[in-house]
Amino acid sequence: MFELVSWRALIVRINSNRVIRSLRRYGLVRYVSRHMHYVVLYVNQDEVETVTDRLEKLRAVRYVKPSYRPDLDPTLTDLEMSGVYKLHDEDDKE
């Protein structure tokens, strides 16, 4: 019937704004910063490596970085165990 597809955001740094229209063929363009010269492009999780390789070969693209947000733990258990984050009295601990 209908299947959910996991997406990954790619941050694409570009040399000029002319390439923005051609980036639509690689994925879904969600945000364009014309002043800072970058594009947020969403692609399927399975195609991240192939799309990244193809984008880096383009002349107008400086670099491509994947978003690390899906890899982060929404709860702070990893940070708590490593000692980076410590709970305070105001925090709710269940």
Side-chain angles (χ1 to χ4, degrees):
M1 188 170 151
F2 194 73
E3 184 177 330
L4 289 176
V5 179
S6 60
W7 290 75
R8 175 68 64 118
L10 296 177
I11 312 304
V12 182
R13 182 74 187 228
I14 54 178
N15 290 331
S16 73
N17 290 329
R18 292 182 182 186
V19 73
I20 294 170
R21 186 177 293 169
S22 65
L23 290 178
R24 292 182 190 164
R25 75 173 64 146
Y26 297 103
L28 179 67
V29 175
R30 286 300 291 168
Y31 181 76
V32 176
S33 175
R34 295 185 187 278
H35 180 69
M36 301 287 287
H37 295 286
Y38 74 91
V39 176
V40 177
L41 184 75
Y42 279 88
V43 296
N44 289 344
Q45 182 69 35
D46 302 334
E47 301 173 356
V48 170
E49 293 85 16
T50 58
V51 172
T52 302
D53 293 339
R54 279 195 255 152
L55 287 173
E56 287 176 343
K57 290 179 184 176
L58 295 177
R59 179 182 272 182
V61 173
R62 289 186 188 172
Y63 60 85
V64 179
K65 289 188 177 182
S67 172
Y68 297 111
R69 186 170 187 215
D71 301 332
L72 297 176
D73 186 15
T75 61
L76 298 174
T77 55
D78 292 340
L79 296 175
E80 216 175 297
M81 290 177 4
S82 66
V84 173
Y85 178 78
K86 295 181 181 174
L87 287 174
H88 299 288
D89 294 336
E90 304 91 36
D91 296 335
D92 296 328
K93 181 155 182 150
E94 296 177 12

